[in-house]
Amino acid sequence: MRKAADKLEQFFWLFLWINPFLDIGNGLFIMAMEGLYDKTWEQIDLALTPSLLIRMAVLLLFGLYILIAWDKRALLAMAPIGAVWVLSVVGQFIWPMKRYSLFTDIQYIARFGYNLAALYIYWRVFQHKKLSREKLLARLNNIITFSLAVLSTSILLSYIADMGYTTYADRFGLRGTRGFFYSGNDITAVLMALLPVAVCSFLMLDRRKAGRTHYFYCAYSPAAVIATLCLIGTKTAFAAVGAAFLGLLGFSIWLFVKKKNKTPLLRLGVILLFCLLLLGILAIFSSTLFDEISSSLANTGNIARREGMTTALLSGRQNKLSSAFADYRAGGPYKWLFGVTRGSQKAIIEMDVFEVLFYYGLAGAALMLWPYLKLGFGFVFRFFKDCTIWSFAVLLSLGLCAAYLIMAGHILFSVTSGFYFSFMLLYAKLLYCKDLKTEEI
């Protein structure tokens, strides 16, 4: 059994390198299907995509690993959530609503289960890797830098080729670009979650051990992400750039003033130079590039003036939130406790905390959010006791994700961004881990 578990762990480690390619391929598949049928993806209405099928297969492997390794902590975390979900579904059959889709419900809870299982399983993978904490973190930094280079480069190249999806296609016209990624929220959340650590990895890179190629590669990755987020052009994308760059700029200035360490400050200048160089290259292929970025940046203010600040900040999600809350409030004590289910709702809210509360009730919210809250607040408490530039970068990452999943995000129920959110929570745990072999989540 141990050999089987070891083989699965090797695959899970390899999967970290494979993961960034899945959504690029998925977007290409969707574009091909739209071209084949001459319809939008919504009109084609295909229930499953290749990326989701692959990740659901990985979820089955997660489940197999938990059973083979008999990971009691993972079982104790996930079994009650499964029970709450079953009770929420039972509520739909006892007190049915206007519409209900069991398939939608199964798909939604499976996505959450995938991200939660990743938390527990990858902690075991890290524990069994036979690496010191420092070497393990260095390996994870390489994965982060590689993943961001792949994801951002795909969007930059699609922009040069004038291919891919626009970020917005609404009453204000076509704005921004998200390359081959069908979900702009997803790719933005991934880039946002990983960017601060990628920047920090370059700031703290040991020049004596890194060759020239590796040095430029580590500078290129965060610079490409910043350029890509500017192209995506959403409020969240610009907020991620501002928080990551300005936050680490402030810490770098503090290191220079207090410790006379000018290297991080100079390397931020290198990243900025690389970013401007990339944007300059893109401008060769599109003379309107900087006008597009400027327009996207100003658009939130334009919407706020025309339709109010609430619409500008929440992009209309307040309407879906209000509809779900009305169903939840009218559901009675049973549904207050176990929720109205995702399958009863026509559209998702895209505000994770409220989705958990309304779809799975008070019981579901307590059980489903607890592992994330425990890891998140555990990191914050340790951060204030021992603050380093690494932990500050992770704080920026988790802080951005936390704000996103409350206000305007779709993370906990996304097998793309949710996976990387779990990854960053484990990274945060590792930063302050004293004994990797014995500490538990």
Coordinates of all heavy atoms in Angstrom, one line a residue, residues 276-359:
L276 N 8.1 47.3 -18.7 CA 8.0 48.3 -19.7 C 8.5 47.9 -21.0 O 8.0 48.2 -22.1 CB 8.8 49.5 -19.2 CG 8.2 50.3 -18.0 CD1 9.1 51.4 -17.5 CD2 6.8 50.8 -18.3
L277 N 9.6 47.0 -21.0 CA 10.1 46.5 -22.3 C 9.1 45.6 -22.9 O 8.9 45.6 -24.1 CB 11.4 45.7 -22.0 CG 12.1 45.1 -23.2 CD1 12.5 46.1 -24.2 CD2 13.3 44.2 -22.7
L278 N 8.4 44.7 -22.1 CA 7.4 43.8 -22.7 C 6.3 44.6 -23.2 O 5.8 44.3 -24.3 CB 6.9 42.9 -21.6 CG 7.8 41.7 -21.2 CD1 7.3 41.0 -19.9 CD2 8.0 40.7 -22.3
L279 N 5.8 45.7 -22.5 CA 4.7 46.5 -23.0 C 5.1 47.2 -24.3 O 4.3 47.4 -25.2 CB 4.3 47.5 -21.9 CG 3.6 46.8 -20.7 CD1 3.3 47.9 -19.6 CD2 2.2 46.2 -21.1
G280 N 6.4 47.6 -24.3 CA 6.9 48.3 -25.5 C 6.9 47.4 -26.7 O 6.5 47.8 -27.9
I281 N 7.2 46.1 -26.5 CA 7.2 45.1 -27.6 C 5.7 44.9 -28.1 O 5.4 44.9 -29.3 CB 7.8 43.8 -27.2 CG1 9.3 44.0 -26.9 CG2 7.6 42.7 -28.2 CD1 10.0 42.8 -26.3
L282 N 4.8 44.8 -27.1 CA 3.4 44.6 -27.4 C 2.9 45.8 -28.2 O 2.0 45.7 -29.1 CB 2.6 44.4 -26.2 CG 2.9 43.1 -25.4 CD1 2.0 43.1 -24.1 CD2 2.6 41.9 -26.2
A283 N 3.4 47.0 -27.8 CA 2.9 48.2 -28.5 C 3.3 48.3 -30.0 O 2.6 48.9 -30.8 CB 3.4 49.5 -27.8
I284 N 4.3 47.5 -30.3 CA 4.7 47.4 -31.8 C 3.6 46.8 -32.6 O 3.4 47.1 -33.7 CB 6.0 46.7 -31.9 CG1 7.2 47.4 -31.2 CG2 6.4 46.4 -33.4 CD1 8.5 46.7 -31.2
F285 N 2.9 45.8 -31.9 CA 1.9 45.1 -32.6 C 0.5 45.7 -32.5 O -0.4 45.4 -33.2 CB 1.8 43.6 -32.1 CG 3.1 42.8 -32.3 CD1 4.1 42.8 -31.4 CD2 3.2 42.1 -33.5 CE1 5.3 42.1 -31.7 CE2 4.4 41.4 -33.7 CZ 5.4 41.4 -32.8
S286 N 0.4 46.6 -31.5 CA -0.9 47.3 -31.3 C -0.6 48.7 -30.9 O -0.2 49.0 -29.7 CB -1.8 46.6 -30.3 OG -2.9 47.3 -30.0
S287 N -0.9 49.7 -31.7 CA -0.6 51.1 -31.4 C -1.6 51.6 -30.3 O -1.3 52.7 -29.8 CB -0.8 51.9 -32.7 OG -2.1 51.8 -33.2
T288 N -2.7 50.9 -30.1 CA -3.6 51.4 -29.1 C -3.4 50.7 -27.7 O -4.3 50.9 -26.8 CB -5.1 51.0 -29.6 OG1 -5.2 49.6 -29.7 CG2 -5.3 51.7 -30.9
L289 N -2.3 50.0 -27.5 CA -2.1 49.3 -26.3 C -2.3 50.2 -25.0 O -3.1 49.8 -24.1 CB -0.7 48.6 -26.3 CG -0.3 48.0 -24.9 CD1 -1.1 46.7 -24.6 CD2 1.2 47.7 -24.9
F290 N -1.5 51.2 -25.0 CA -1.5 52.1 -23.7 C -2.9 52.8 -23.6 O -3.3 53.0 -22.4 CB -0.4 53.1 -23.8 CG 1.0 52.4 -23.7 CD1 1.8 52.2 -24.8 CD2 1.4 51.8 -22.5 CE1 3.0 51.6 -24.7 CE2 2.6 51.2 -22.3 CZ 3.4 51.1 -23.5
D291 N -3.5 53.1 -24.7 CA -4.9 53.7 -24.6 C -5.9 52.7 -24.0 O -6.7 53.0 -23.2 CB -5.4 54.1 -26.0 CG -4.7 55.4 -26.5 OD1 -4.2 56.1 -25.6 OD2 -4.6 55.6 -27.7
E292 N -5.7 51.4 -24.4 CA -6.6 50.3 -23.9 C -6.4 50.2 -22.4 O -7.4 50.0 -21.6 CB -6.3 49.0 -24.6 CG -6.7 49.0 -26.1 CD -6.1 47.7 -26.8 OE1 -5.8 46.7 -26.0 OE2 -6.1 47.7 -28.0
I293 N -5.1 50.1 -21.9 CA -4.9 50.0 -20.5 C -5.4 51.2 -19.7 O -6.0 51.0 -18.7 CB -3.3 49.8 -20.3 CG1 -2.9 48.5 -20.9 CG2 -3.0 49.9 -18.8 CD1 -1.4 48.3 -20.8
S294 N -5.2 52.4 -20.3 CA -5.7 53.6 -19.6 C -7.2 53.6 -19.5 O -7.8 54.0 -18.5 CB -5.2 54.8 -20.4 OG -5.7 56.0 -19.8
S295 N -7.8 53.1 -20.6 CA -9.3 53.1 -20.6 C -9.8 52.1 -19.6 O -10.8 52.4 -18.8 CB -9.8 52.7 -22.0 OG -11.2 52.5 -22.0
S296 N -9.2 50.9 -19.5 CA -9.6 49.9 -18.5 C -9.4 50.5 -17.1 O -10.3 50.3 -16.2 CB -8.8 48.7 -18.7 OG -9.1 48.0 -19.9
L297 N -8.3 51.2 -16.9 CA -8.0 51.7 -15.5 C -9.0 52.8 -15.1 O -9.4 52.8 -14.0 CB -6.6 52.3 -15.5 CG -6.0 52.8 -14.2 CD1 -5.9 51.6 -13.2 CD2 -4.6 53.3 -14.4
A298 N -9.5 53.5 -16.1 CA -10.5 54.6 -15.8 C -11.9 54.1 -15.8 O -12.8 54.9 -15.3 CB -10.3 55.7 -16.8
N299 N -12.1 52.9 -16.2 CA -13.5 52.5 -16.4 C -14.3 52.3 -15.1 O -15.5 52.6 -15.1 CB -13.5 51.1 -17.2 CG -14.9 50.9 -17.8 OD1 -15.3 51.7 -18.7 ND2 -15.6 49.8 -17.4
T300 N -13.6 51.9 -14.0 CA -14.3 51.8 -12.8 C -14.9 53.1 -12.3 O -16.1 53.2 -11.9 CB -13.4 51.2 -11.7 OG1 -12.9 50.0 -12.1 CG2 -14.1 51.1 -10.3
G301 N -14.2 54.2 -12.5 CA -14.7 55.5 -12.2 C -15.8 55.9 -13.1 O -16.8 56.5 -12.6
N302 N -15.8 55.6 -14.3 CA -16.8 55.9 -15.3 C -18.1 55.2 -14.9 O -19.2 55.8 -14.9 CB -16.5 55.5 -16.7 CG -15.3 56.3 -17.2 OD1 -15.1 57.5 -16.8 ND2 -14.5 55.8 -18.2
I303 N -18.0 53.9 -14.5 CA -19.2 53.1 -14.1 C -19.8 53.7 -12.8 O -21.0 53.8 -12.6 CB -18.9 51.6 -14.0 CG1 -18.5 51.0 -15.3 CG2 -20.0 50.9 -13.4 CD1 -18.0 49.6 -15.3
A304 N -18.9 54.0 -11.9 CA -19.3 54.6 -10.6 C -20.1 55.9 -10.8 O -21.1 56.1 -10.1 CB -18.1 54.9 -9.7
R305 N -19.7 56.7 -11.7 CA -20.4 58.0 -12.0 C -21.8 57.7 -12.6 O -22.7 58.4 -12.4 CB -19.6 58.9 -12.9 CG -18.4 59.5 -12.1 CD -17.7 60.6 -13.0 NE -17.0 60.0 -14.1 CZ -15.8 59.6 -14.1 NH1 -15.1 59.7 -12.9 NH2 -15.2 59.1 -15.1
R306 N -21.8 56.7 -13.5 CA -23.1 56.4 -14.3 C -24.0 55.6 -13.5 O -25.3 55.8 -13.5 CB -22.7 55.7 -15.6 CG -21.9 56.5 -16.6 CD -21.7 55.7 -17.9 NE -20.8 56.3 -18.7 CZ -20.5 55.8 -19.9 NH1 -21.1 54.7 -20.4 NH2 -19.6 56.4 -20.7
E307 N -23.5 54.5 -12.8 CA -24.4 53.6 -12.2 C -24.2 53.4 -10.7 O -24.9 52.5 -10.1 CB -24.2 52.2 -12.9 CG -24.5 52.3 -14.4 CD -24.3 51.0 -15.1 OE1 -24.4 49.9 -14.4 OE2 -24.1 51.0 -16.3
G308 N -23.4 54.1 -10.1 CA -23.2 54.1 -8.7 C -22.0 53.2 -8.3 O -21.5 52.4 -9.0
M309 N -21.5 53.5 -7.1 CA -20.2 52.8 -6.6 C -20.5 51.4 -6.3 O -19.6 50.5 -6.6 CB -19.8 53.5 -5.3 CG -18.4 53.0 -4.8 SD -17.1 53.1 -6.0 CE -16.8 54.9 -6.0
T310 N -21.7 51.0 -5.9 CA -21.9 49.5 -5.6 C -21.8 48.7 -6.9 O -21.1 47.7 -6.9 CB -23.3 49.4 -5.0 OG1 -23.4 50.1 -3.8 CG2 -23.6 47.9 -4.7
T311 N -22.4 49.2 -8.0 CA -22.2 48.5 -9.2 C -20.8 48.5 -9.7 O -20.3 47.5 -10.3 CB -23.1 49.1 -10.3 OG1 -24.5 49.0 -9.9 CG2 -23.0 48.4 -11.7
A312 N -20.1 49.6 -9.5 CA -18.7 49.7 -10.0 C -17.8 48.6 -9.2 O -16.9 48.0 -9.8 CB -18.2 51.1 -9.8
L313 N -18.1 48.5 -7.9 CA -17.2 47.6 -7.1 C -17.6 46.1 -7.3 O -16.8 45.2 -7.3 CB -17.3 48.0 -5.7 CG -16.6 49.3 -5.3 CD1 -16.8 49.6 -3.8 CD2 -15.1 49.3 -5.6
L314 N -18.9 45.9 -7.4 CA -19.4 44.5 -7.4 C -19.8 44.0 -8.8 O -20.2 42.8 -8.9 CB -20.6 44.4 -6.4 CG -20.3 44.7 -4.9 CD1 -21.6 44.5 -4.1 CD2 -19.2 43.8 -4.4
S315 N -19.8 44.9 -9.7 CA -20.1 44.5 -11.1 C -21.4 43.8 -11.3 O -21.6 42.8 -12.0 CB -19.0 43.6 -11.7 OG -17.7 44.2 -11.6
G316 N -22.4 44.3 -10.5 CA -23.8 43.7 -10.6 C -24.0 42.5 -9.8 O -25.1 41.9 -9.8
R317 N -23.0 42.0 -9.1 CA -23.1 40.8 -8.3 C -24.1 41.0 -7.1 O -24.7 40.0 -6.6 CB -21.8 40.3 -7.7 CG -20.8 39.8 -8.7 CD -19.5 39.4 -8.1 NE -18.6 38.9 -9.1 CZ -17.7 39.7 -9.8 NH1 -17.7 41.0 -9.5 NH2 -16.9 39.2 -10.7
Q318 N -24.4 42.3 -6.8 CA -25.3 42.6 -5.7 C -26.7 42.1 -6.0 O -27.5 41.7 -5.2 CB -25.3 44.0 -5.3 CG -25.9 45.0 -6.4 CD -24.9 45.4 -7.4 OE1 -23.9 44.8 -7.6 NE2 -25.3 46.5 -8.2
N319 N -27.0 42.0 -7.3 CA -28.4 41.6 -7.8 C -28.5 40.1 -7.6 O -29.5 39.6 -7.1 CB -28.6 41.9 -9.2 CG -28.6 43.4 -9.5 OD1 -29.1 44.2 -8.7 ND2 -28.0 43.8 -10.6
K320 N -27.5 39.3 -7.9 CA -27.5 37.9 -7.7 C -27.4 37.5 -6.2 O -28.0 36.6 -5.8 CB -26.3 37.2 -8.5 CG -26.4 37.3 -10.0 CD -25.3 36.6 -10.7 CE -24.0 37.4 -10.6 NZ -22.9 36.8 -11.5
L321 N -26.7 38.3 -5.5 CA -26.6 38.2 -4.0 C -28.0 38.4 -3.4 O -28.4 37.6 -2.5 CB -25.6 39.2 -3.4 CG -25.5 39.2 -1.9 CD1 -24.9 37.9 -1.4 CD2 -24.6 40.4 -1.5
S322 N -28.7 39.4 -3.8 CA -30.0 39.7 -3.3 C -31.0 38.6 -3.6 O -31.8 38.2 -2.7 CB -30.5 41.1 -3.9 OG -31.8 41.4 -3.5
S323 N -30.9 38.1 -4.8 CA -31.8 37.0 -5.2 C -31.6 35.7 -4.4 O -32.5 35.1 -3.9 CB -31.6 36.7 -6.7 OG -32.4 35.6 -7.1
A324 N -30.3 35.4 -4.2 CA -30.0 34.2 -3.4 C -30.4 34.4 -1.9 O -30.9 33.5 -1.3 CB -28.5 33.9 -3.5
F325 N -30.2 35.6 -1.4 CA -30.5 35.9 0.0 C -32.0 35.8 0.2 O -32.5 35.3 1.2 CB -30.0 37.2 0.4 CG -30.4 37.6 1.8 CD1 -30.0 37.0 2.9 CD2 -31.3 38.7 2.0 CE1 -30.4 37.3 4.2 CE2 -31.7 39.1 3.3 CZ -31.2 38.4 4.4
A326 N -32.8 36.2 -0.8 CA -34.3 36.2 -0.7 C -34.7 34.7 -0.6 O -35.6 34.4 0.2 CB -34.9 36.9 -1.9
D327 N -34.1 33.8 -1.4 CA -34.4 32.4 -1.4 C -34.0 31.8 0.0 O -34.7 31.0 0.5 CB -33.7 31.6 -2.5 CG -34.3 31.9 -3.9 OD1 -35.5 32.5 -3.9 OD2 -33.7 31.7 -4.9
Y328 N -32.9 32.2 0.4 CA -32.3 31.7 1.7 C -33.2 32.1 2.9 O -33.6 31.3 3.7 CB -30.9 32.1 1.9 CG -30.3 31.7 3.2 CD1 -29.8 30.4 3.4 CD2 -30.1 32.6 4.3 CE1 -29.2 30.0 4.6 CE2 -29.6 32.2 5.5 CZ -29.1 30.9 5.6 OH -28.5 30.5 6.8
R329 N -33.6 33.4 2.9 CA -34.4 33.9 4.0 C -35.8 33.2 4.0 O -36.4 33.0 5.1 CB -34.6 35.4 3.8 CG -35.3 36.1 5.0 CD -35.3 37.6 4.9 NE -35.9 38.0 3.6 CZ -36.0 39.3 3.2 NH1 -35.5 40.2 4.0 NH2 -36.6 39.6 2.1
A330 N -36.3 32.9 2.8 CA -37.7 32.3 2.7 C -37.7 30.8 3.0 O -38.7 30.2 3.1 CB -38.3 32.6 1.3
G331 N -36.5 30.2 3.1 CA -36.3 28.8 3.1 C -36.8 28.2 4.5 O -37.0 27.0 4.5
G332 N -36.7 29.0 5.5 CA -37.1 28.4 6.9 C -35.9 27.8 7.6 O -34.8 27.8 7.0
P333 N -36.1 27.4 8.8 CA -35.0 27.0 9.7 C -34.1 25.9 9.1 O -32.9 25.9 9.2 CB -35.7 26.4 10.9 CG -37.0 27.2 11.0 CD -37.4 27.4 9.5
Y334 N -34.7 24.9 8.4 CA -33.9 23.8 7.8 C -32.9 24.3 6.8 O -31.7 24.0 6.8 CB -34.8 22.7 7.2 CG -34.1 21.5 6.7 CD1 -34.0 20.4 7.5 CD2 -33.5 21.5 5.4 CE1 -33.3 19.3 7.1 CE2 -32.8 20.3 5.0 CZ -32.7 19.3 5.9 OH -32.0 18.1 5.4
K335 N -33.4 25.2 5.9 CA -32.5 25.7 4.9 C -31.6 26.8 5.4 O -30.5 27.1 4.9 CB -33.3 26.2 3.7 CG -34.0 25.0 3.0 CD -34.6 25.4 1.7 CE -35.2 24.2 1.0 NZ -35.9 24.5 -0.3
W336 N -32.0 27.5 6.5 CA -31.0 28.4 7.2 C -29.8 27.6 7.7 O -28.7 28.0 7.6 CB -31.7 29.1 8.3 CG -32.8 30.0 7.9 CD1 -33.1 30.5 6.7 CD2 -33.8 30.5 8.8 NE1 -34.2 31.3 6.7 CE2 -34.7 31.3 8.0 CE3 -34.1 30.4 10.1 CZ2 -35.8 32.0 8.5 CZ3 -35.2 31.1 10.7 CH2 -36.1 31.9 9.8
L337 N -30.1 26.4 8.1 CA -29.0 25.5 8.7 C -28.2 24.8 7.6 O -27.0 24.7 7.6 CB -29.6 24.5 9.6 CG -28.6 23.7 10.5 CD1 -27.8 24.6 11.4 CD2 -29.4 22.7 11.3
F338 N -28.9 24.3 6.5 CA -28.2 23.5 5.5 C -28.2 24.1 4.1 O -27.7 23.6 3.1 CB -28.8 22.1 5.4 CG -28.7 21.4 6.7 CD1 -29.9 21.1 7.5 CD2 -27.5 21.0 7.2 CE1 -29.8 20.4 8.7 CE2 -27.4 20.4 8.4 CZ -28.5 20.0 9.2
G339 N -28.9 25.3 3.9 CA -28.8 26.0 2.7 C -29.8 25.6 1.6 O -30.5 24.7 1.7
V340 N -29.8 26.5 0.6 CA -30.8 26.3 -0.5 C -30.2 25.5 -1.7 O -30.9 25.3 -2.7 CB -31.3 27.7 -1.0 CG1 -32.0 28.4 0.1 CG2 -30.2 28.5 -1.6
T341 N -28.9 25.2 -1.6 CA -28.1 24.4 -2.7 C -27.8 25.3 -3.9 O -28.5 26.3 -4.2 CB -28.9 23.2 -3.2 OG1 -29.9 23.5 -4.0 CG2 -29.4 22.3 -2.1
R342 N -26.7 25.0 -4.5 CA -26.3 25.6 -5.8 C -27.3 25.3 -6.9 O -27.6 26.1 -7.7 CB -24.9 25.2 -6.1 CG -24.5 25.6 -7.6 CD -24.4 27.0 -7.8 NE -24.1 27.3 -9.2 CZ -25.0 27.6 -10.2 NH1 -26.3 27.6 -9.8 NH2 -24.7 27.9 -11.4
G343 N -27.8 24.0 -6.9 CA -28.6 23.6 -8.0 C -30.0 24.3 -8.1 O -30.7 24.2 -9.1
S344 N -30.3 25.0 -7.0 CA -31.6 25.7 -7.1 C -31.5 27.1 -7.6 O -32.5 27.8 -7.9 CB -32.2 25.9 -5.6 OG -31.4 26.8 -4.9
Q345 N -30.2 27.6 -7.9 CA -30.0 28.9 -8.3 C -29.7 29.0 -9.8 O -28.9 28.2 -10.4 CB -28.8 29.5 -7.6 CG -29.0 29.5 -6.1 CD -30.2 30.4 -5.7 OE1 -30.3 31.6 -5.9 NE2 -31.2 29.8 -5.0
K346 N -30.2 30.0 -10.5 CA -30.0 30.1 -11.9 C -28.6 30.5 -12.2 O -28.0 30.1 -13.2 CB -31.0 31.1 -12.5 CG -30.9 31.3 -14.0 CD -31.9 32.3 -14.6 CE -31.8 32.5 -16.1 NZ -32.8 33.4 -16.6
A347 N -28.0 31.4 -11.4 CA -26.7 32.0 -11.6 C -25.9 32.0 -10.3 O -26.5 32.2 -9.2 CB -26.8 33.4 -12.2
I348 N -24.6 31.8 -10.4 CA -23.8 31.8 -9.2 C -23.6 33.3 -8.8 O -23.6 34.2 -9.6 CB -22.4 31.1 -9.4 CG1 -21.7 31.7 -10.6 CG2 -22.6 29.6 -9.6 CD1 -20.3 31.2 -10.7
I349 N -23.4 33.5 -7.5 CA -23.2 34.8 -7.0 C -21.8 35.3 -7.3 O -21.6 36.5 -7.5 CB -23.4 34.8 -5.4 CG1 -24.7 34.2 -5.0 CG2 -23.2 36.2 -4.9 CD1 -24.9 34.0 -3.6
E350 N -20.8 34.5 -7.3 CA -19.4 34.8 -7.5 C -18.9 35.6 -6.3 O -18.1 36.6 -6.5 CB -19.1 35.5 -8.8 CG -19.3 34.6 -10.0 CD -19.0 35.3 -11.3 OE1 -19.0 36.5 -11.4 OE2 -18.7 34.6 -12.3
M351 N -19.3 35.3 -5.1 CA -18.8 35.9 -3.9 C -18.8 34.7 -2.9 O -19.8 34.4 -2.3 CB -19.8 37.0 -3.4 CG -19.9 38.2 -4.4 SD -21.2 39.4 -4.0 CE -20.4 40.3 -2.6
D352 N -17.6 34.1 -2.8 CA -17.5 32.8 -2.2 C -18.1 32.6 -0.8 O -18.8 31.6 -0.6 CB -16.0 32.3 -2.2 CG -15.5 32.1 -3.6 OD1 -15.1 33.0 -4.2 OD2 -15.5 30.9 -4.0
V353 N -17.8 33.6 0.0 CA -18.3 33.4 1.4 C -19.8 33.4 1.4 O -20.4 32.6 2.2 CB -17.8 34.6 2.3 CG1 -18.4 34.6 3.6 CG2 -16.2 34.5 2.4
F354 N -20.5 34.2 0.6 CA -21.9 34.2 0.6 C -22.5 33.0 -0.1 O -23.6 32.5 0.3 CB -22.4 35.5 -0.1 CG -22.1 36.8 0.7 CD1 -21.0 37.6 0.2 CD2 -22.8 37.1 1.8 CE1 -20.7 38.7 1.0 CE2 -22.4 38.3 2.5 CZ -21.4 39.1 2.1
E355 N -21.8 32.5 -1.1 CA -22.2 31.2 -1.7 C -22.2 30.1 -0.7 O -23.1 29.3 -0.6 CB -21.2 30.9 -2.9 CG -21.4 31.8 -4.1 CD -20.5 31.3 -5.2 OE1 -20.1 30.2 -5.2 OE2 -20.3 32.2 -6.1
V356 N -21.1 30.0 0.1 CA -21.1 28.9 1.1 C -22.2 29.1 2.1 O -22.9 28.1 2.4 CB -19.7 29.0 1.9 CG1 -19.7 28.0 3.0 CG2 -18.6 28.6 0.9
L357 N -22.5 30.3 2.5 CA -23.5 30.5 3.5 C -24.9 30.2 2.9 O -25.7 29.5 3.6 CB -23.5 32.0 4.0 CG -24.6 32.4 5.0 CD1 -24.6 31.5 6.3 CD2 -24.5 33.8 5.4
F358 N -25.2 30.7 1.8 CA -26.6 30.6 1.2 C -26.8 29.2 0.6 O -27.9 28.6 0.7 CB -26.9 31.7 0.2 CG -26.9 33.1 0.7 CD1 -26.6 34.2 -0.1 CD2 -27.1 33.3 2.1 CE1 -26.6 35.4 0.4 CE2 -27.1 34.6 2.6 CZ -26.8 35.7 1.8
Y359 N -25.8 28.7 0.0 CA -26.0 27.3 -0.7 C -25.9 26.2 0.3 O -26.6 25.2 0.1 CB -24.9 27.1 -1.8 CG -24.9 28.1 -2.9 CD1 -23.9 28.2 -3.8 CD2 -26.0 29.0 -3.1 CE1 -23.9 29.1 -4.8 CE2 -26.0 29.9 -4.2 CZ -24.9 29.9 -5.0 OH -24.9 30.8 -6.1

